[in-house]
């Protein structure tokens, strides 16, 4: 065998143990050694049955995703699963941790499955843009029924062992030691002459499942998983389970799996799987960097952001002191928090008692002395340098040594804020995104003097409050907003060029973004963009730049909150407004902006490529550590669909030569000011390389 799989016999039962840290992924070496172990079992007269178990923290977490871009080595996982099932000696899978994807498929190839109560099972391939490809789409409906199997596979969400037991996926829960329990279970099955339960030979229960069921299911998916390819393929696999023989349906599964694997969606989603893990790795902040304890947090300012930020910590079980300028500010802020929790109670996501408990974890104050003992302070006051400096001076005076002082600023110079304190090493940016209680992204802004320990603590804290923390450097707009500005700039210019905002928004929505740029601006408030644009100190002089934001803001059309912005609002429904296009025409005339025709593709190019060009600069300047970090920012904070992979992966998939050529085309049309290609983009395009290759080769 190999060091990946061991084989030993205890009282007539073989224990086959897979040991491939960290998560026992089914690599080629594991598959091979497991294959040999099954052969050994068949030939071993001393063993009448076997237990398949894993060493380390979890059962098999799936196929080895790093092998997906390489040619597949024998034995294939589906063949291994079939071989397990075909064994003439009974095999019991013993599950702890998570049996996911190819892991659960392997377990379903065994004749029985037992699990620890804390274990979880699932087929999360959909998150990688795939269908389960090792007989899972055929086995799960046979065990759990069509509906349950569809829900598990299209959502990708693992279920607990108890639920697995109820669904028929797990046969027995084991309390205590898994190995001993599984051995006893195998012995019991052997002694009672339990049949070899081969899942492939079970019938798929078709009761109540007809064409109408599938069309309704697909309709639901078109809302929940808009634009994604893999969920639709999963439905086809399940239909095959009902309509084809097991053997034919496996061929269908293989074909649909291969289609998925080759798709841009899967490439994008696999990229994000690794990118979201890589963001945690910071080259000069090693894994063993000490982390400070965060047991008490203070939030300064209980406005739109402060309230949401406080809720994040409370939800993670960390008590929060909230400081406002006066009692009225506190009442307003805490009122909003309470209302938000009340909505969760109404929706059944929380009990009244939990609401009380959550509110009990918030200590309101107007006195800085009350924040003195906080381990972490997050400032979320008005976006004005002078006020921020005032707050940080106070914090420096009162906070205990070792406290981390964070700012939620979205644009101000963090180093300038840190400089008013005597502890710039403890100052960091924690840039939450609105609404702070919902958005997954947390940009962690590293100042010039921020200590490694403070960065490590911020990254760990992000995880604790279930955010995706991405470390970025200081510049105007950091990474996300800095790259979002060109996107907004182009959407704004298109209005002057006579392209209706509703068309731009529709094209962008169809491309997969959660909302179009104009709808986003109306939601955030045009005044927010107005203010940001005017605060950008070295903004190039261009009268056309975001002209409509200025005009509409000055008219008091600030977006949804005033009932009109770029759109007019009937309740929350956005209605295109002819008056706005009339204003845009007048402005265009005054500024000498030509009216143009543009294709849908042209709209996407201008919005995305301007953003990507800025992304290349962000990388050159070291503001983002890796292209993947930028991608993680955009899918977690800006509503970019995961199947596009984020702006930098999208650029790689389009081809940097094509992106570069298009940018040059726009440079010819619009001039150098906004469309000069970033030197890194130019270089990579000319060398025929991608951002990914650039990133890998500089290590
Ligand atoms: N293949 C290769 N590497 C994997 C992996 C896999 N299936 N699953 C996890 N890893 C790696 C991670 O990249 C990470 O590497 P790093 O330390 O170098 O960054 C390391 O294992 C630890 O992973 P996590 O940081 O995610 O550890 P957690 O403890 O937080 O989570 C987990 C563990 C729940 C198992 C999580 O890793 C996970 O969800 N893994 C992926 C599960 C999955 O998608 N399985 C399906 C694979 S596709 C498949 O099976 C196709 C089949 O149908 C043919
Ligand atoms: P807001 O205006 O809703 O709230 C600010 C709160 O701070 C107010 O309640 C105000 O009373 C309080 N405040 C002002 N001065 C104070 C002081 N000296 N001490 C204590 N409290 C004080 O503002 P919002 O939108 O919550 O923004 C806060 C910060 O978050 C800003 O830096 C902003 O740039 C940033 N941000 C805002 C986002 C948004 O979408 N609103 C997104 C990301 C960051």
């Amino acid at each position: 065998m190999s060091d990946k799989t061991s084989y030993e016999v205890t009282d007539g039962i073989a224990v086959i143990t897979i040991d491939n840290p960290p998560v026992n992924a089914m690599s080629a070496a594991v598959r091979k050694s497991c294959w040999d172990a099954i052969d050994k079992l068949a030939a071993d007269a001393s063993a009448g049955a076997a237990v398949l178990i894993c060493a380390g923290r979890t059962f098999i977490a799936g196929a080895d995703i790093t092998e997906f871009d390489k040619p597949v080595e024998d034995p294939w996982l589906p063949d291994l699963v079939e071989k397990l099932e075909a064994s003439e000696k009974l095999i019991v899978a013993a599950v702890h941790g998570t049996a996911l994807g190819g892991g659960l498929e392997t377990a379903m190839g065994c004749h029985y499955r037992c699990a620890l109560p804390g274990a979880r099972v699932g087929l999360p391939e959909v998150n990688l843009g795939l269908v389960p490809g090792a007989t899972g789409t055929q086995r799960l409906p046979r065990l759990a029924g069509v509906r349950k199997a569809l829900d598990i596979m299209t959502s990708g969400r693992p279920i607990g062992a108890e639920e697995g037991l109820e669904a028929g996926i797990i046969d027995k829960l084991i309390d205590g030691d898994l190995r001993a329990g599984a051995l006893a279970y195998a012995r019991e099955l052997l002694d009672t002459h339990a049949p070899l339960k081969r899942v492939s030979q079970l019938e798929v229960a078709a009761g109540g499942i007809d064409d109408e069921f599938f069309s309704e299911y697909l309709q639901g998916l078109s809302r929940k998983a808009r634009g994604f390819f893999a969920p639709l393929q999963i439905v086809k696999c399940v239909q095959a389970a009902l309509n084809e023989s097991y053997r034919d349906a496996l061929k269908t599964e293989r074909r649909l799996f291969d289609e998925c694997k080759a798709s841009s969606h899967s490439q994008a989603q696999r990229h994000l799987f690794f990118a979201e893990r890589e963001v945690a790795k910071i080259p000069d902040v090693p894994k063993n960097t000490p982390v400070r304890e965060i047991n008490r947090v203070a939030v300064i300012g209980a406005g739109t952001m402060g309230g949401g930020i406080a809720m994040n910590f409370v939800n993670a079980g960390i008590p929060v002191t909230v400081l406002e300028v006066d009692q009225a500010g506190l009442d307003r802020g805490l009122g909003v928090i309470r209302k938000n929790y009340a909505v969760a109670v109404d929706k059944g996501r929380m009990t009244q008692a939990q609401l009380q408990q959550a509110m009990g974890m918030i200590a309101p104050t107007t006195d800085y002395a009350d924040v003195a003992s906080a381990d972490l302070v997050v400032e979320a006051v008005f976006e004005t340098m002078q006020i921020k400096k005032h707050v940080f001076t106070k914090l420096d005076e009162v906070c205990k040594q070792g406290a981390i002082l964070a700012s939620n600023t979205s644009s101000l110079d963090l180093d300038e804020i840190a400089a008013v304190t005597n502890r710039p090493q403890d100052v960091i940016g924690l840039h939450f995104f609105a609404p702070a209680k919902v958005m997954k992204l947390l940009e962690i802004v590293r100042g010039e003097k921020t200590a490694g320990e403070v960065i490590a603590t911020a990254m760990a804290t992000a995880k604790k409050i279930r955010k995706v923390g991405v470390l970025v450097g200081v510049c105007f707009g950091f990474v996300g907003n800095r790259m979002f500005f060109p996107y907004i700039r182009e959407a704004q210019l298109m209005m002057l060029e006579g392209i209706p905002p509703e068309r731009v928004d529709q094209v962008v929505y169809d491309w997969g973004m959660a909302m179009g740029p104009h709808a986003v601006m109306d939601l955030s408030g045009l005044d927010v963009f107005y203010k940001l644009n005017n605060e950008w100190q070295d903004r190039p002089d261009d009268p056309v730049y975001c002209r409509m934001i200025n005009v509409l803001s000055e008219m008091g059309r600030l977006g949804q909150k005033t009932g009109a912005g770029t759109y007019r609002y009937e309740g929350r429904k956005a209605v295109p407004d002819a008056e706005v296009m009339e204003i845009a025409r007048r402005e265009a005339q005054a500024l000498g902006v030509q009216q143009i025709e543009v294709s849908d593709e042209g709209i996407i190019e201008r919005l995305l490529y301007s953003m990507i060009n800025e992304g290349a600069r962000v990388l050159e300047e070291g503001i983002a550590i890796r292209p993947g970090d930028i991608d993680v920012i955009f899918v977690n904070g800006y509503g970019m669909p995961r199947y596009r992979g984020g702006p930098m992966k999208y650029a790689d998939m389009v081809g940097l030569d094509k992106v570069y050529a298009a940018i040059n085309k726009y440079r010819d049309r619009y001039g150098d000011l906004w469309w000069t290609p970033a030197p890194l983009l130019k270089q990579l395009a000319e060398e025929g390389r991608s951002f990914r290759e650039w990133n890998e080769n500089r290590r």
Side-chain angles (χ1 to χ4, degrees):
M1 233 148 297
S2 79
D3 58 345
K4 300 288 180 196
T5 303
S6 64
Y7 181 99
E8 58 172 333
V9 180
T10 309
D11 295 334
I13 296 173
V15 179
I16 300 170
T17 308
I18 294 175
D19 187 4
N20 185 30
V23 295
N24 290 313
M26 269 283 186
S27 63
V30 174
R31 295 197 302 273
K32 206 184 278 294
S33 60
C34 206
W35 186 277
D36 293 345
I38 304 166
D39 282 341
K40 188 164 178 179
L41 171 68
D44 186 352
S46 72
V51 165
L52 178 70
I53 195 166
C54 290
R57 66 194 218 222
T58 178
F59 193 76
I60 304 157
D64 186 335
I65 306 166
T66 59
E67 290 182 352
F68 282 0
D69 290 325
K70 304 172 194 160
V72 189
E73 278 183 50
D74 283 338
W76 286 32
L77 189 53
D79 296 340
L80 178 64
V81 175
E82 298 275 290
K83 186 178 175 76
L84 279 165
E85 184 177 77
S87 163
E88 290 301 333
K89 290 184 183 167
L90 183 138
I91 304 179
V92 175
V95 177
H96 74 295
T98 41
L100 299 179
L104 179 56
E105 291 173 303
T106 301
M108 290 192 292
C110 297
H111 305 116
Y112 292 88
R113 286 152 294 282
C114 63
L116 288 179
R120 290 186 306 145
V121 298
L123 293 178
E125 285 86 343
V126 71
N127 297 328
L128 302 167
L130 297 170
V131 305
T135 73
T137 64
Q138 304 308 305
R139 290 178 186 273
L140 196 60
R142 285 175 161 78
L143 283 176
V146 167
R147 262 172 240 268
K148 186 81 180 173
L150 276 172
D151 288 348
I152 290 175
M153 291 192 286
T154 59
S155 75
R157 267 193 300 277
I159 59 170
E162 299 264 0
E163 194 179 337
L165 183 72
E166 236 169 77
I169 302 167
I170 304 286
D171 300 295
K172 188 178 174 64
L173 295 186
I174 304 278
D175 280 321
D177 183 62
L178 180 64
R179 188 177 190 273
L183 276 169
Y185 182 43
R187 167 57 54 201
E188 179 195 322
L189 291 167
L190 209 51
D191 291 350
T192 55
H193 307 289
L196 298 179
K197 213 169 77 183
R198 295 192 166 105
V199 176
S200 70
Q201 292 173 4
L202 302 176
E203 287 290 313
V204 183
I209 307 292
D210 52 17
D211 288 350
E212 200 181 328
F213 166 83
F214 280 109
S215 79
E216 271 173 29
Y217 202 88
L218 286 168
Q219 246 174 23
L221 279 183
S222 69
R223 284 191 304 275
K224 279 189 280 190
R226 180 176 68 90
F228 284 87
F229 178 56
L232 309 180
Q233 300 277 88
I234 288 172
V235 174
K236 285 188 199 160
C237 289
V238 174
Q239 284 174 316
L242 283 161
N243 302 329
E244 296 170 16
S245 70
Y246 177 72
R247 289 284 145 215
D248 285 346
L250 278 196
K251 285 187 199 137
T252 303
E253 179 190 88
R254 167 82 2 218
R255 180 172 55 80
L256 298 176
F257 177 84
D258 286 342
E259 281 175 21
C260 283
K261 197 169 102 170
S263 71
S264 62
H265 284 210
S266 181
Q267 283 177 45
Q269 289 173 261
R270 280 182 270 147
H271 158 74
L272 286 171
F273 176 84
F274 290 112
E276 282 180 341
R277 280 156 181 83
E278 207 169 12
V279 281
K281 293 172 189 150
I282 298 157
D284 63 338
V285 182
K287 221 175 157 187
N288 57 0
T289 305
V291 170
R292 297 184 193 169
E293 283 219 10
I294 305 295
N295 296 318
R296 172 137 220 124
V297 169
V299 175
I300 314 297
T304 310
M305 294 305 287
I309 293 169
M311 288 172 76
N312 277 300
F313 288 101
V314 169
N315 295 348
I318 303 171
V320 180
T321 303
V322 172
L323 185 142
E324 259 288 346
V325 267
D326 52 24
Q327 191 58 43
L330 277 178
D331 292 345
R332 199 178 50 239
L334 266 74
V336 173
I337 296 177
R338 180 179 283 278
K339 216 166 93 189
N340 280 326
Y341 279 131
V343 171
V345 172
D346 285 346
K347 289 189 176 159
R349 283 199 242 111
M350 200 178 187
T351 63
Q352 189 65 31
Q354 285 168 328
L355 178 153
Q356 294 301 353
Q357 195 190 3
M359 291 308 292
M361 287 172 69
I362 303 175
T365 186
T366 54
D367 184 354
Y368 270 89
D370 292 334
V371 306
S373 64
D375 303 306
L376 165 69
V377 185
V378 186
E379 164 278 310
V381 304
F382 301 136
E383 185 77 345
T384 309
M385 183 54 94
Q386 206 190 346
I387 303 179
K388 303 265 191 210
K389 283 184 172 173
H390 166 77
V391 170
F392 273 78
T393 306
K394 286 295 284 182
L395 292 175
D396 191 31
E397 274 168 34
V398 302
C399 289
K400 67 176 185 189
Q401 279 310 306
I404 295 176
L405 309 183
S407 173
N408 183 46
T409 180
S410 43
S411 62
L412 300 173
D413 182 343
L414 185 77
D415 291 323
E416 199 178 330
I417 297 173
V420 302
T421 73
N422 292 303
R423 42 174 126 178
Q425 74 282 0
D426 291 335
V427 176
I428 196 162
L430 290 182
H431 185 207
F432 288 83
F433 286 72
K437 61 182 193 311
V438 178
M439 298 303 287
K440 297 278 288 172
L441 177 64
L442 181 63
E443 273 187 335
I444 298 177
V445 189
R446 165 188 212 155
E448 205 186 328
K449 297 193 173 144
T450 310
E453 201 177 304
V454 172
I455 293 171
T457 307
M459 295 296 290
T461 305
K463 211 167 172 185
K464 209 169 196 174
I465 60 172
R466 293 161 170 253
K467 299 284 176 202
V468 180
V470 185
L471 190 69
V472 301
V474 175
C475 67
F476 185 74
F478 311 122
V479 172
N481 284 346
R482 174 169 164 182
M483 288 175 63
F484 200 62
F485 293 151
Y487 171 89
I488 294 294
R489 180 195 80 219
E490 288 305 306
Q492 282 277 301
L493 179 56
M494 286 183 206
M495 266 172 96
L496 292 184
E497 291 174 328
I499 307 158
E502 63 274 18
R503 164 144 184 249
V504 171
D505 279 2
Q506 188 63 49
V507 169
V508 168
Y509 181 80
D510 291 344
W511 185 83
M513 295 291 282
M515 291 170 99
H518 296 290
V520 167
M521 282 186 278
D522 269 6
L523 181 68
S524 306
L526 291 175
D527 52 324
V528 171
F529 288 89
Y530 180 86
K531 201 157 167 272
L532 277 171
N533 284 338
N534 293 318
E535 262 159 24
W536 182 4
Q537 282 168 4
D538 42 8
R539 171 159 66 86
D541 185 26
D542 176 12
V544 169
Y545 180 81
C546 289
R547 178 71 193 145
M548 289 301 287
I549 288 181
N550 293 351
V551 174
L552 294 174
S553 296
E554 282 160 15
M555 287 170 70
R557 294 185 64 129
L558 305 182
Q560 282 195 21
K561 60 187 168 193
T562 55
T566 300
Y567 294 100
R568 209 162 37 76
Y569 288 86
E570 288 171 4
R572 289 183 63 186
K573 184 168 177 265
V575 182
D577 192 340
E579 190 194 338
V580 169
M581 283 314 285
E582 192 42 51
I583 298 168
R585 241 187 309 277
R586 272 205 313 269
E587 290 294 325
Q589 224 164 27
L591 292 162
V593 175
Q594 269 183 20
Q595 303 296 288
I596 63 159
E597 297 282 328
V598 64
S599 65
D600 291 354
E601 194 193 354
I603 291 175
I604 293 298
E605 274 186 5
R606 279 173 63 184
L607 296 176
L608 267 294
Y609 293 1
S610 56
M611 179 190 264
I612 290 161
N613 199 30
E614 197 62 37
R617 291 207 174 85
V618 159
L619 286 173
E620 269 165 356
E621 293 169 22
I623 298 291
I625 301 177
R626 293 158 286 243
D629 291 23
I630 297 179
D631 294 330
V632 171
I633 286 175
F634 275 85
V635 296
N636 287 288
Y638 291 84
M640 192 171 274
R642 297 183 74 84
Y643 61 78
R644 297 290 185 189
M648 310 319 273
K649 179 67 184 174
Y650 177 69
D652 276 355
M653 291 194 297
V654 169
L656 296 192
D657 53 339
K658 290 204 184 74
V659 175
Y660 177 62
I663 287 178
N664 278 319
K665 175 181 76 183
Y666 293 118
R667 183 188 199 171
D668 291 345
R669 190 188 299 166
Y670 294 105
D672 294 341
L673 184 59
W674 301 112
W675 283 102
T676 299
L680 177 63
L681 178 65
K682 177 174 188 297
Q683 180 202 329
L684 294 177
E686 286 172 352
E687 292 170 0
R689 295 201 297 149
S690 61
F691 288 120
R692 177 186 172 159
E693 285 163 330
W694 169 77
N695 183 50
E696 282 171 357
N697 290 337
R698 73 201 165 119
R699 278 186 195 143

